[in-house]
Amino acid sequence: MSKLQILVADPIADKGIEALKAVPSFDVVVNLGLKKEEDFAAAAKDAHAIIVRSGVKVTAKVIEAAPNLKVIGRAGVGVDNIDIPAASQRGVVVMNTPGGNTISTAEQAFTLMMSLARKTPQAHASMVAGKFDRKSYSGTEVFGKTLTVLGMGRIGAEFAKRAKAFGMKVIAYDPYLSASRAESLGVELRDNLDDAVKDADFITMHMPMTKETKHMLDERRLGILKKGVRIINCARGGLIDDNALAAALTSGQVGGAALDVYEVEPPPADYPVLKAPNTVFTPHLGASTEEAQENVGIEIADAVRNHLLEGTIVNAVNMPNVDPKVLAEIGPFLRFGELLGRLISQISPQRANVVRVNYSGKVGSLDTTLVSRAVLKGFLERASGNEGVNYINAAGVAENLGLRFTESRLAEATEWNDLIEVQVRNETEGATIAGTF
């Protein structure tokens, strides 16, 4: 039996490598010199799994060059160096490690806030230069100040806990944060971004990089902030318009900025913010602690190993999480849903534009996301002639075909313990099929 090749293209903890090498069916290849796309693609041709950090880019060309590829593991949080659409189209699971560097990044951001408030780096440089200048480096207390946390995930929540311990008032902005969670964290939740930032003395950023969040602090928004506000960013450089930030620092509208991440990394010598006053810079050190590096390396190695051996999916960015217990519970429904999808594809009207799945009984009380994808997979294999459709790319294939997918769940039992009903329609006619165990 041929071995499953795992290509490690960025440095991860030795314990993670050792855990993978301990599996007899794995062939672990560590190749850290793949900066060029063509070299990476050539090295990945036999890979069943690829593990990276942020040093290399897993492009569509790399993914296409690896016909056996099943999973890409990112030792860290950000996955902007991985072509997610290309991976999903190929049916490749992309997993990251959102919890491994939570504490280290929160501590780094908090350290930057305190350094900014007390001008610690500048005072240190002055002392090293032989000066003892107390007047030039008078700072400000954070006690009693208003802090706005943009993004209340794991890292943002840890930052908020520390800020509250220092006596700060904490405002939170996160479109996905529930009111009950905000209450439990003891923070004031604001629904509008402008409203969340306009009264802040300090702003710390912990949002992912998306189309919606790119340059969320732009020239206009920097202009409405309280004069002298201090900004900390340990998330992603593109969240701030660096040209606008440099101008705001120079004019005094922004009183200071502490950055660990940059829109261009490493930043060139003429990078605008580097020349601005009242700044603190570190070279992307958020996850750079011994503990964090070991944690994310071990975590991603375990995730990749368990996926290849057991089909387990955790912390996936393009697929619902599935652990062995859940998989055992919904496994029969997956096979059944796929069968129903295949069957209705044979009787459905042409040019269908709606697929609907209705669940009743016990199955309606489960997480049916994967079951719905199984139905779509079965339907699309025949309807679209696409034999490459799978649980990961089924939703994307349906969208590309103009199919609108909906589902409903009813936990109460009907005359059957479990019933799955699939409806397919076009503008004028439809077909329905239902099945039960």
Side-chain angles (χ1 to χ4, degrees):
M1 180 179 177
S2 60
K3 292 189 175 184
L4 302 176
Q5 186 184 100
I6 301 174
L7 174 61
V8 181
D10 269 326
I12 67 169
D14 290 340
K15 288 185 179 180
I17 300 289
E18 292 165 6
L20 293 171
K21 288 184 175 180
V23 180
S25 60
F26 288 171
D27 173 27
V28 182
V29 177
V30 180
N31 189 338
L32 307 181
L34 302 174
K35 299 297 183 182
K36 294 182 179 179
E37 185 182 43
E38 56 268 27
D39 294 339
F40 200 169
K45 64 183 179 64
D46 296 321
H48 294 78
I50 295 174
I51 296 178
V52 298
R53 285 177 60 197
S54 59
V56 296
K57 292 186 177 181
V58 187
T59 64
K61 182 177 179 179
V62 173
I63 294 169
E64 187 62 32
N68 300 320
L69 191 61
K70 299 180 183 297
V71 57
I72 300 170
R74 163 68 160 95
V77 181
V79 291
D80 42 319
N81 60 322
I82 301 172
D83 192 325
I84 305 295
S88 299
Q89 188 66 31
R90 271 283 314 281
V92 176
V93 179
V94 179
M95 298 188 287
N96 65 353
T97 55
N101 59 4
T102 297
I103 298 300
S104 65
T105 304
E107 288 182 355
Q108 171 71 357
F110 203 85
T111 300
L112 288 179
M113 181 180 72
M114 296 306 301
S115 296
L116 195 62
R118 300 306 299 267
K119 302 182 180 179
T120 304
Q122 293 86 345
H124 168 79
S126 175
M127 287 288 292
V128 171
K131 301 177 182 179
F132 196 79
D133 183 359
R134 298 179 65 188
K135 293 183 179 179
S136 298
Y137 303 107
S138 177
T140 186
E141 295 180 0
V142 299
F143 177 81
K145 299 299 192 302
T146 297
L147 167 74
T148 292
V149 181
L150 302 180
M152 284 294 290
R154 293 178 176 90
I155 297 170
E158 290 296 334
F159 192 107
K161 291 177 186 177
R162 287 153 178 76
K164 287 181 63 64
F166 272 62
M168 301 185 81
K169 173 188 175 181
V170 181
I171 294 171
Y173 172 78
D174 191 321
Y176 303 101
L177 183 69
S178 67
S180 60
R181 174 62 173 160
E183 184 177 0
S184 70
L185 290 170
V187 301
E188 180 183 333
L189 184 61
R190 301 275 178 92
D191 294 329
N192 181 273
L193 178 56
D194 285 356
D195 186 47
V197 298
K198 65 183 178 64
D199 297 322
D201 299 297
F202 292 85
I203 297 172
T204 182
M205 310 188 76
H206 303 287
M207 304 284 277
M209 182 64 180
T210 66
K211 292 179 181 178
E212 291 73 26
T213 61
K214 182 176 175 63
H215 289 181
M216 61 191 303
L217 292 187
D218 56 10
E219 182 179 5
R220 183 198 68 80
R221 192 159 281 130
L222 289 171
I224 69 170
L225 302 181
K226 179 188 291 188
K227 187 176 178 63
V229 64
R230 293 169 172 86
I231 300 171
I232 303 96
N233 186 9
C234 281
R236 284 290 179 266
L239 298 176
I240 307 176
D241 182 336
D242 285 338
N243 289 302
L245 177 60
L249 285 163
T250 302
S251 71
Q253 168 63 15
V254 173
L259 307 179
D260 187 51
V261 290
Y262 311 89
E263 195 160 5
V264 178
E265 291 191 5
D270 60 350
Y271 204 59
V273 183
L274 295 180
K275 308 294 184 182
N278 303 319
T279 50
V280 178
F281 302 113
T282 50
H284 206 146
L285 299 179
S288 295
T289 62
E290 295 177 5
E291 295 86 352
Q293 292 309 305
E294 184 165 293
N295 289 342
V296 297
I298 294 172
E299 189 177 335
I300 201 61
D302 288 344
V304 168
R305 180 193 61 200
N306 293 339
H307 178 68
L308 292 178
L309 295 179
E310 303 171 4
T312 302
I313 299 174
V314 294
N315 296 326
V317 300
N318 62 344
M319 180 74 172
N321 290 345
V322 185
D323 59 37
K325 182 179 178 181
V326 172
L327 195 59
E329 189 174 28
I330 68 172
F333 294 108
L334 294 181
R335 293 185 288 272
F336 189 47
E338 191 170 333
L339 178 63
L340 290 174
R342 287 176 184 162
L343 186 54
I344 199 168
S345 72
Q346 300 177 52
I347 62 172
S348 64
Q350 292 185 345
R351 293 180 291 280
N353 56 15
V354 176
V355 177
R356 181 177 180 83
V357 183
N358 303 313
Y359 299 96
S360 301
K362 188 180 79 171
V363 66
S365 65
L366 303 176
D367 183 348
T368 57
T369 305
L370 270 185
V371 183
S372 294
R373 292 196 182 204
V375 173
L376 274 177
K377 178 178 182 293
F379 177 76
L380 293 169
E381 280 179 350
R382 182 180 177 91
S384 70
N386 187 348
E387 297 299 328
V389 68
N390 53 46
Y391 295 139
I392 300 168
N393 64 9
V397 172
E399 184 177 355
N400 289 338
L401 292 172
L403 278 173
R404 183 168 60 89
F405 175 78
T406 62
E407 67 174 63
S408 66
R409 290 184 284 172
L410 182 65
E412 292 81 6
T414 60
E415 55 187 300
W416 297 281
N417 289 330
D418 293 295
L419 185 71
I420 302 177
E421 180 184 68
V422 184
Q423 302 172 347
V424 179
R425 295 195 58 82
N426 61 18
E427 298 295 340
T428 58
E429 56 184 338
T432 300
I433 188 170
T436 185
F437 289 106

